[in-house]
Amino acid sequence: LAQAHAQTIAVTMPVITNQNIGTAFNVPVQTSTNILNASNVKAYQFSIALPSNCTFVSIVQNVGDLGQTWGAPVYSVSAGMLTIASAGSTNITGSGTFFRIRLMPAQAGTQTIGFVPTTQCYFNQGTPNRTLTNGTVQVNKPASIAVDPVQA
């Protein structure tokens, strides 16, 4: 039996620009939705295709993040795919960041960081509903120095 006024939670990753090869950065997985206590969110799972121009470093979770009181999320990375899940006995409420994906840029270019497959991205066992917005990561070309042998 579906709730008459079920909440839909918008989960997003941002557009990140101007990153440099060799300098790690974080991609927040977040929501601007004010998650209501009545939504009864006690677990999440996400499957995320990592950008091919970066290498995975770690998961970062800070005090105050959504679900942080549940303890560290469980995750695995295989063939460029991150699967991450967390659960607890208390409801997530409010808006903010669930966790951050720490990446190390390895190659210049712009790549998508996306929720794939979307069927593996949900709260609890599928309720409440969610919308997913992919992000992008743009890594700068390394600086180059031209040397003119005539002027050297």
Side-chain angles (χ1 to χ4, degrees):
L1 194 61
Q3 293 176 332
H5 300 286
Q7 182 177 35
T8 298
I9 300 170
V11 182
T12 62
M13 288 183 284
V15 171
I16 295 179
T17 60
N18 205 30
Q19 298 304 305
N20 295 311
I21 293 173
T23 304
F25 66 98
N26 293 333
V27 178
V29 176
Q30 56 201 357
T31 184
S32 59
T33 305
N34 182 20
I35 300 173
L36 303 175
N37 192 53
S39 289
N40 209 27
V41 174
K42 287 185 168 63
Y44 63 74
Q45 175 180 309
F46 299 108
S47 178
I48 297 171
L50 300 172
S52 60
N53 62 338
C54 297
T55 56
F56 175 82
V57 177
S58 64
I59 293 296
V60 177
Q61 199 173 43
N62 296 332
V63 172
D65 283 352
L66 300 172
Q68 182 267 330
T69 59
W70 296 343
V74 176
Y75 67 90
S76 65
V77 177
S78 178
M81 295 294 297
L82 166 68
T83 302
I84 184 166
S86 190
S89 59
T90 57
N91 291 347
I92 287 178
T93 57
S95 60
T97 300
F98 294 99
F99 56 88
R100 293 153 193 83
I101 304 166
R102 189 143 182 86
L103 298 175
M104 178 68 73
Q107 185 178 356
T110 300
Q111 299 280 329
T112 298
I113 181 165
F115 295 101
V116 177
T118 58
T119 56
Q120 295 301 309
C121 301
Y122 51 82
F123 294 101
N124 300 327
Q125 295 299 312
T127 337
N129 291 330
R130 86 298 177 265
T131 60
L132 304 167
T133 303
N134 295 335
T136 57
V137 172
Q138 181 261 318
V139 178
N140 299 324
K141 290 182 180 174
S144 60
I145 299 173
V147 177
D148 183 344
V150 175
Q151 301 295 322

